[in-house]
Amino acid sequence: MFLIAAGISAIALGGAGAYALSRAARTSRQPLNPDEAAAHLDAYFSKAFRVGKRQTSLQVLIDSPVLSYRHTAGSLTAAGGAPVTDNQPFHAASIGKTFTATLIMMLAERGDLTLDSCIAEYLPAETLSSLFVWDGKDHAREVTIRQLLGHRSGVADYFEGPVREQPSFQTRVIENPDELWTPEKLLDFSRHNQRAVAAPGARFHYSDTGYILLGLLLERVTSVSLGTLLRREILAPLGMNDTYLLFDRDAPIPPDEPPLQDIWLDGVEISRFRSLSCDWAGGGLATTPEDLIRFQKGLSGGALIRAESLSEMERCAHKFRNGIHYGLGMMEIRFEGFFPLLRGMPRLKGHIGVLATHMFRDPATDTYVVMNFGSTDAMVPSFRALFHIMQTLQRIRLGQT
């Protein structure tokens, strides 16, 4: 997730960005009522979309005790420029990792697996072959499910990791739009074109490859496809009727399904590319803002897993980059890591995606936020927007004291 890391680092840099955050921190002392806050956010997001680069849509949904807010802007290339609707489906990107992790926790609660079991107990040797070779030794039989969930297995990252031979994976996705990526092909990319980065447990290294292995493990344990498992265990119980796994083997997308919002990867719009099959268990969901709110409420409210399992997912002990820590398929945002004057801001639980997609919850105030900027070039603006939302909610609470 180097694109995300680069964007986050840019937020924390000095100069104009630091000045803007410092000024925003001072402004946070000025109270707002809910109507004023909504108008303030409308002006903020209208400007953010107007000046955004390589971005053709924007969705924001806030569900908080002090404010219910929605902002939608943009158009759909796939629909001839038709406007984006409030609940238009979009590519969730790595937000999907939280769904995969939740399925693992559900199976662990049922006794179908244990987090500290070695993945070699569930997956055949040919699936793991050459993926965990470090310092001349194959560590495949040492890797645990917990290490895959927490990105500490040592396996490479096919999506953004370095490759032995060019082109990079992302370039291949763009230059070969008709290529269908199966889970096996994704593993082969890492197997033949990358190297492991460490021995299991030695370091944190964000890896989409690891989540492909988790998806295969889920299928092996349950004897059903990942798409079927998602529908049966999460989507149907929570009423997430507008969410589905892209390129699901068992459920092709109906022809009348609304088109995805535009997806800008390195300046190329790829929403209709077959090569978009490159995410799968690492983030291959199409979803909507309302459905992601349903998921967060179901997850935090005990509809899917027990409170102790959620606490384990949210125990973010490993630093990803300044401002972001990682647990098991879950991120924690620590704003003070971006800029010291932001100390005291709430710590948010959830996940982000490389397309500047956000799904976060503030446990202290029962607040839920979903955003989709739909572009790898929008990561910095999306994080500034997340801060701006939380600051605005604080200003409403200030006005109510």
Side-chain angles (χ1 to χ4, degrees):
M1 198 178 276
F2 300 118
L3 287 171
I4 290 178
I8 294 167
S9 297
I11 297 171
L13 292 176
Y19 174 76
L21 288 176
S22 177
R23 182 178 180 183
R26 293 193 297 271
T27 305
S28 65
R29 294 189 288 269
Q30 301 172 6
L32 293 171
N33 65 44
D35 289 339
E36 292 170 336
H40 174 73
L41 289 173
D42 277 341
Y44 179 89
F45 282 111
S46 294
K47 180 179 179 180
F49 182 68
R50 188 172 62 252
V51 302
K53 299 178 180 178
R54 294 173 174 174
Q55 179 189 350
T56 46
S57 61
L58 172 66
Q59 282 181 305
V60 181
L61 184 59
I62 303 170
D63 186 316
S64 170
V66 297
L67 182 69
S68 295
Y69 175 81
R70 184 193 296 271
H71 189 95
T72 304
S75 59
L76 301 165
T77 299
V84 173
T85 65
D86 282 346
N87 216 38
Q88 194 82 36
F90 64 92
H91 193 302
S94 284
I95 288 172
K97 288 182 173 65
T98 306
F99 286 73
T100 298
T102 300
L103 289 172
I104 292 286
M105 301 304 287
M106 294 171 84
L107 295 187
E109 288 185 354
R110 296 170 191 171
D112 294 332
L113 54 81
T114 61
L115 298 189
D116 294 313
S117 294
C118 293
I119 60 172
E121 296 178 23
Y122 304 93
L123 295 172
E126 55 267 27
T127 298
L128 305 177
S129 175
S130 302
L131 291 175
F132 297 97
V133 176
W134 174 254
D135 199 21
K137 179 183 176 182
D138 190 341
H139 295 271
R141 300 196 65 82
E142 304 167 26
V143 178
T144 67
I145 295 173
R146 186 187 301 275
Q147 288 169 342
L148 287 181
L149 285 170
H151 301 287
R152 291 180 58 82
S153 73
V155 73
D157 174 27
Y158 70 81
F159 191 72
E160 290 188 285
V163 296
R164 293 190 181 107
E165 296 182 8
Q166 295 296 327
S168 69
F169 186 83
Q170 291 182 43
T171 299
R172 187 164 167 174
V173 168
I174 292 170
E175 293 183 350
N176 299 277
D178 294 325
E179 186 167 10
L180 179 65
W181 288 96
T182 64
E184 293 75 19
K185 283 185 65 175
L186 293 169
L187 293 182
D188 281 343
F189 185 89
S190 280
R191 194 186 334 273
H192 300 306
N193 206 27
Q194 296 180 309
R195 297 180 178 88
V197 300
R203 58 173 287 199
F204 177 93
H205 179 77
Y206 191 91
S207 173
D208 286 274
T209 306
Y211 269 72
I212 299 303
L213 289 169
L214 287 171
L216 291 173
L217 187 150
L218 285 166
E219 291 191 333
R220 191 87 170 184
V221 171
T222 63
S223 299
V224 299
S225 73
L226 179 62
T228 296
L229 194 62
L230 281 164
R231 287 191 297 275
R232 186 180 76 192
E233 301 290 350
I234 297 178
L235 307 183
L238 296 183
M240 297 176 63
N241 300 322
D242 298 314
T243 299
Y244 56 91
L245 182 66
L246 292 161
F247 300 92
D248 182 358
R249 297 188 295 268
D250 292 347
I253 300 173
D256 58 347
E257 186 73 36
L260 282 179
Q261 290 181 58
D262 289 2
I263 299 169
W264 292 92
L265 178 64
D266 294 345
V268 179
E269 205 287 298
I270 66 168
S271 65
R272 289 168 288 179
F273 283 19
R274 199 167 183 236
S275 57
L276 196 60
S277 53
C278 64
D279 281 320
W280 200 56
L285 288 178
T287 190
T288 64
E290 291 178 6
D291 269 7
L292 284 186
I293 296 290
R294 290 188 183 97
F295 174 68
Q296 292 184 88
K297 289 185 173 182
L299 185 60
S300 63
L304 299 175
I305 57 176
R306 294 193 291 263
E308 52 266 37
S309 295
L310 179 60
S311 294
E312 194 161 10
M313 291 176 66
E314 292 182 339
R315 193 175 301 118
C316 296
H318 302 294
K319 183 179 179 180
F320 172 33
R321 287 292 189 277
N322 289 340
I324 294 186
H325 283 63
Y326 209 96
L328 302 180
M330 191 79 76
M331 291 178 172
E332 181 179 69
I333 302 300
R334 303 180 183 180
F335 286 100
E336 69 273 16
F338 301 146
F339 191 64
L341 285 182
L342 302 185
R343 191 174 303 279
M345 293 288 290
R347 292 194 170 182
L348 307 182
K349 311 284 189 177
H351 217 289
I352 56 178
V354 73
L355 300 173
T357 53
H358 291 243
M359 178 190 74
F360 284 108
R361 171 176 69 102
D362 175 10
T365 61
D366 196 34
T367 291
Y368 302 86
V369 176
V370 172
M371 293 191 294
N372 169 47
F373 282 65
S375 172
T376 54
D377 289 330
M379 190 58 68
V380 171
S382 75
F383 265 89
R384 288 178 177 158
L386 183 64
F387 161 72
H388 203 81
I389 288 170
M390 302 314 297
Q391 179 204 57
T392 301
L393 296 178
Q394 285 186 332
R395 293 175 66 184
I396 298 174
R397 296 186 190 96
L398 185 64
Q400 294 176 341
T401 58

